[in-house]
Amino acid sequence: MLMRREQNRTDQRARIVEAARRLFARDGVDEVTMAQVGAEAGVARATVFNHFGSKHALVEAITEDVIAYYDGMLRNALADTVTPTTTLVRALFETMGAGIEEDRRFYRGVFREIAKVRLGLDEGGVGQRAGAAAIELLVKLLARGQQRGELSRAYRAEDLASAFDSLVNGTITHWLYGDAAEPLRERMGRAAEVFLGEVAVGPAVGRRPLPTLAPRRARRRRSRHAGDEPGGPPCTRPPMIPSIR
């Protein structure tokens, strides 16, 4: 009975997060109320507050979910001990671009709010802690590339991670709020070459097939309430890390 109750609570929390994602994508974070989130998820407003004490806490939960996916990408990259680091870096840019491009409406609606969480405006918060753990993985990946002689040692791995972060976020921001006529994946591909053009070591070689770094996506129960049409944003989507600082 206790396990069933805990599972129901977990499922309920997931429904609330998915409902918030749909509403934030459609209307923007500022325009959505907690009561609307509850109605979309099929629960009472008080239940939403029971899981998340504020709208900011909801955004932070979504941010944590996004970072968890990115964390999985980095762990997959670290687990690949055969593929050159330069190819893994290209795969990270490609996979992140694909995730944003697939769910552009959602990220356009919440990217700024997620970025605030990731920039550490709430020191010690869930989002900030998750982001710190993710950047540690990125530093390890880049440091390994330096040890292998695949990336320049003229820079600290921490500085390379910061440059990676800034380039990723700048490219995504311009695509989300500027001209999106060109696929984001193409822009991210060029951004990867900008990054590697400064730090990759050795003669240029032909492009290798990119490995699949996307982690398995947990399948979540869809809401059966209004706004959950077949054409709506899927529960199993590839989130993207908006910032890892």
Side-chain angles (χ1 to χ4, degrees), residues 86-101 164 167-172 175 182-198 207-208 210:
T86 51
T87 302
L88 292 173
V89 166
R90 291 186 177 102
L92 286 171
F93 273 87
E94 166 76 17
T95 306
M96 287 187 284
I100 282 282
E101 193 173 319
F164 180 104
L167 189 54
V168 163
N169 284 282
T171 302
I172 292 168
W175 186 82
E182 181 184 28
L184 177 59
R185 281 169 286 190
E186 293 184 12
R187 294 193 190 183
M188 293 289 274
R190 290 199 300 272
E193 298 312 314
V194 169
F195 178 79
L196 292 171
E198 180 64 23
R207 291 291 296 274
R208 295 169 176 260
L210 299 182

Side-chain angles (χ1 to χ4, degrees), residues 47-69:
T47 302
V48 179
F49 276 104
N50 185 41
H51 285 276
F52 306 97
S54 65
K55 191 190 299 183
H56 176 80
L58 251 178
V59 173
E60 192 169 56
I62 291 172
T63 302
E64 186 181 15
D65 186 38
V66 168
I67 296 173
Y69 190 88

Side-chain angles (χ1 to χ4, degrees), residues 118-172:
R118 295 307 324 118
L119 287 173
L121 299 183
D122 293 331
E123 293 187 12
V126 172
Q128 188 183 42
R129 293 195 301 272
I135 201 169
E136 285 182 12
L137 294 174
L138 179 59
V139 170
K140 287 181 180 179
L141 178 66
L142 298 175
R144 187 179 73 182
Q146 291 176 316
Q147 293 167 3
R148 290 176 170 181
E150 297 167 342
L151 300 180
S152 171
R153 297 187 182 185
Y155 310 95
R156 299 187 312 152
E158 292 81 2
D159 295 333
L160 293 182
S162 179
F164 180 104
D165 175 54
S166 298
L167 189 54
V168 163
N169 284 282
T171 302
I172 292 168

